[in-house]
Amino acid sequence: MGIKTALPAAELGLYSLVLSGALAYAGRGLLEASQDGAHRKAFRESVRPGWEYIGRKMDVADFEWVMWFTSFRNVIIFALSGHVLFAKLCTMVAPQLRSWMYAVYGALAVMGTMGPWYLLLLLGHCVGLYVASLLGQPWLCLGLGLASLASFKMDPLISWQSGFVTGTFDLQEVLFHGGSSFTVLRCTSFALESCAHPDRRYSLADLLKYNFYLPFFFFGPIMTFDRFHAQVSQVEPVRREGELWHIRAQAGLSVVAIMAVDIFFHFFYILTIPSDLKFANRLPDSALAGLAYSNLVYDWVKAAVLFGVVNTVACLDHLDPPQPPKCITVLYVFAETHFDRGINDWLCKYVYNHIGGEHSAVIPELAATVATFAITTLWLGPCDIVYLWSFLNCFGLNFELWVQKLAEWGPLARIEASLSVQMSRRVRALFGAMNFWAIIMYNLVSLNSLEFTELVARRLLLTGFPQTTLAVLFVTYCGVQLVKERERTLALEEEQKQDKEKPE
């Protein structure tokens, strides 16, 4: 209710002014803190020389990001460029064989990176789930898939299987876990789709073509088998009007995002500061809130860049891959919060929607979320911090439904009905602002540390109450209202587009 309701322009202008000022003020505090802490002993390991000609150091606390764009940059560019080149040649000469080219090139790249024994290990998991799919029992396929996933997440099997990798290098553990885990999810998707459509008779070759598509292999995103098979099986794919321009724009945005992150890390040490709790505790409340928020925004940017690069290659291959996740800035409900849209789609299709149905009943929704987050816990790797993260986000998702049901209860529904539509929107935005910070705090636990999350919660809710608490809540409320206005505008544009497409 109230999403299609417009607020006065002056009110929205005030919200924009407040939000911009608050972000600038918090950013200034973070910049000053980064300058003050650049030479601290605690920062030596993760703040290294950067732009020496202007005396700026760089935050290098994110191991994966640094490896992607330093020592492994040329390898990634070479591998993806080779894929694009061979895919283009195959599409021009023998388009009916392009899916085979994807599989052969991907398998050779995996073998060259991780060794032949690792490739054989994954082939063993593929064959096992393929055999299970022939039995036509979805519960068996899902159970075997989860068992295979557990074997890559728990000792002693994980230690034994990691020994199949040839050699040692910086990103070995990341590539091992990424390639293995995504392989299991892809094979499980293949098996479940085979059970759902026994008349289509998918072959082991179809599974191998699906699994060893190189752009998706190590880091995702994951496409469910039915979507991938339908798209890659097109003998003569045709590009939509303006598609090439969109691909160029996507590639350009990825490059701009990489450059923006590099510049940002020379001025704001948002990943290093939380590791020094003594220093972080000295930050003003506004800067501390901005630090917590920026940690989640960075994680989204990291995912957007990774999936943006991969999706650009996939689009060149005439695929329609899962889009990058929504930015945390525009999220104020748990139901839309995810950092990997591909895994989210996989979980929704095979677990969450299957159990929860229309997600309107409390008990089925509880069962669906518990099952979904149980599998997510296994995917992330069972440990105390993952257990806590899963519990908090599972609770948040269910709590939203409980609040929704409570709002539909007679007395409360009549109170809201007595309000104007604009006032109803304001009230809901207030609850959205509180939910926004619940999303930040619940995810900060896993993206940073429990100790830093406790520090932020204590400062914003206890020692900073009521001034800081109300100030942060009001700024967030302004942001939620601006997001709602954007949603309203997009909804109206979509309605106008559909009206134009209707026949006269």
Side-chain angles (χ1 to χ4, degrees):
M1 182 178 180
I3 284 293
K4 296 184 179 181
T5 303
L7 295 178
E11 183 177 345
L12 293 173
L14 174 63
Y15 294 154
S16 300
L17 182 63
V18 170
L19 182 62
S20 301
L23 290 176
Y25 184 69
R28 179 185 174 185
L30 278 178
L31 178 61
E32 292 176 350
S34 299
Q35 292 174 335
D36 294 341
H39 301 286
R40 288 176 62 87
K41 290 183 179 181
F43 286 13
R44 285 180 180 176
E45 292 297 321
S46 54
V47 177
R48 302 286 181 83
W51 296 338
E52 295 183 359
Y53 49 88
I54 61 171
R56 300 300 312 184
K57 293 187 175 184
M58 182 181 181
D59 191 339
V60 294
D62 189 339
F63 167 78
E64 287 184 11
W65 182 271
V66 173
M67 287 296 101
W68 289 345
F69 299 107
T70 53
S71 57
F72 275 82
R73 177 185 57 201
N74 295 336
V75 175
I76 293 172
I77 293 175
F78 177 78
L80 292 181
S81 298
H83 173 90
V84 172
L85 176 62
F86 284 110
K88 184 62 177 178
L89 290 175
C90 189
T91 302
M92 294 171 60
V93 177
Q96 70 276 12
L97 299 178
R98 67 190 185 104
S99 60
W100 275 110
M101 191 286 303
Y102 296 155
V104 172
Y105 184 88
L108 291 175
V110 172
M111 184 172 65
T113 305
M114 308 293 284
W117 293 110
Y118 177 74
L119 179 63
L120 289 175
L121 173 67
L122 296 188
L123 286 174
H125 283 273
C126 291
V127 171
L129 277 160
Y130 171 73
V131 172
S133 71
L134 298 178
L135 302 177
Q137 299 296 326
W139 64 269
L140 178 62
C141 295
L142 183 60
L144 182 59
L146 295 180
S148 295
L149 184 60
S151 73
F152 287 110
K153 299 296 181 180
M154 299 178 181
D155 279 323
L157 288 177
I158 183 175
S159 300
W160 175 69
Q161 292 184 106
S162 63
F164 283 80
V165 180
T166 302
T168 57
F169 48 93
D170 290 335
L171 277 179
Q172 175 179 312
E173 185 176 355
V174 175
L175 296 182
F176 171 79
H177 285 289
S180 305
S181 300
F182 277 112
T183 289
V184 171
L185 290 191
R186 284 187 288 263
C187 292
T188 305
S189 176
F190 169 87
L192 292 173
E193 293 298 332
S194 296
C195 294
H197 306 285
D199 54 309
R200 298 181 183 177
R201 297 182 180 179
Y202 298 122
S203 66
L204 179 60
D206 293 325
L207 172 57
L208 298 181
K209 294 175 188 177
Y210 170 50
N211 185 60
F212 289 102
Y213 179 69
L214 182 61
F216 293 165
F217 184 81
F218 286 110
F219 299 110
I222 184 171
M223 289 178 67
T224 54
F225 174 76
D226 56 329
R227 291 185 56 206
F228 181 88
H229 183 73
Q231 295 174 27
V232 82
S233 298
Q234 297 178 14
V235 178
E236 296 182 0
V238 179
R239 295 202 183 278
R240 300 184 300 272
E241 183 179 355
E243 184 177 356
L244 280 176
W245 180 90
H246 176 75
I247 293 174
R248 295 191 193 101
Q250 186 179 46
L253 285 175
S254 297
V255 173
V256 170
I258 293 170
M259 295 173 61
V261 170
D262 188 75
I263 295 172
F264 185 86
F265 279 160
H266 279 85
F267 293 91
F268 299 92
Y269 305 149
I270 61 169
L271 303 181
T272 297
I273 292 176
S275 64
D276 187 348
L277 295 180
K278 184 178 180 181
F279 182 76
N281 195 37
R282 286 161 35 191
L283 296 178
D285 292 343
S286 59
L288 190 63
L291 181 62
Y293 165 73
S294 60
N295 266 255
L296 265 75
V297 171
Y298 166 69
D299 194 75
W300 169 80
V301 172
K302 180 179 174 181
V305 167
L306 173 62
F307 295 142
V309 172
V310 170
N311 286 0
T312 298
V313 177
C315 289
L316 289 173
D317 292 336
H318 302 274
L319 298 180
D320 183 20
Q323 295 304 304
K326 281 188 176 182
C327 179
I328 186 67
T329 303
V330 301
L331 294 176
Y332 54 90
V333 290
F334 278 90
E336 298 180 3
T337 302
H338 50 265
F339 294 92
D340 187 325
R341 198 183 295 267
I343 293 177
N344 181 75
D345 293 345
W346 191 99
L347 289 169
C348 286
K349 180 171 186 178
Y350 300 123
V351 183
Y352 184 57
N353 292 339
H354 183 74
I355 299 175
E358 297 181 355
H359 307 291
S360 57
V362 173
I363 300 302
E365 177 70 2
L366 179 60
T369 53
V370 169
T372 300
F373 278 101
I375 296 176
T376 305
T377 299
L378 183 60
W379 163 262
L380 294 174
C383 63
D384 291 343
I385 202 68
V386 173
Y387 295 146
L388 178 60
W389 174 87
S390 294
F391 170 79
L392 292 174
N393 282 272
C394 183
F395 169 77
L397 193 57
N398 281 277
F399 188 71
E400 282 183 347
L401 179 61
W402 302 341
V403 172
Q404 179 184 340
K405 292 295 184 182
L406 184 62
E408 295 172 355
W409 181 51
L412 292 181
R414 287 192 291 271
I415 292 174
E416 185 176 17
S418 67
L419 302 176
S420 66
V421 287
Q422 291 182 336
M423 186 56 67
S424 175
R425 169 173 163 171
R426 295 185 183 106
V427 172
R428 287 179 174 257
L430 180 60
F431 284 98
M434 292 186 285
N435 215 34
F436 179 87
W437 273 99
I439 292 172
I440 289 182
M441 300 303 291
Y442 290 178
N443 288 280
L444 197 61
V445 168
S446 62
L447 295 179
N448 203 287
S449 69
L450 179 59
E451 294 76 15
F452 179 65
T453 306
E454 291 176 348
L455 172 64
V456 175
R458 185 174 66 251
R459 288 280 299 278
L460 298 187
L461 298 177
L462 299 178
T463 59
F465 185 84
Q467 292 89 345
T468 299
T469 307
L470 295 179
V472 170
L473 187 62
F474 177 66
V475 170
T476 308
Y477 166 83
C478 294
V480 170
Q481 285 289 22
L482 294 176
V483 171
K484 283 179 173 286
E485 185 63 22
R486 175 179 174 273
E487 292 174 347
R488 187 188 72 84
T489 303
L490 292 176
L492 290 177
E493 291 177 353
E494 184 64 25
E495 286 184 1
Q496 292 173 358
K497 181 180 178 180
Q498 291 177 356
D499 291 340
K500 290 180 180 179
E501 293 176 350
K502 288 181 179 180
E504 296 293 338

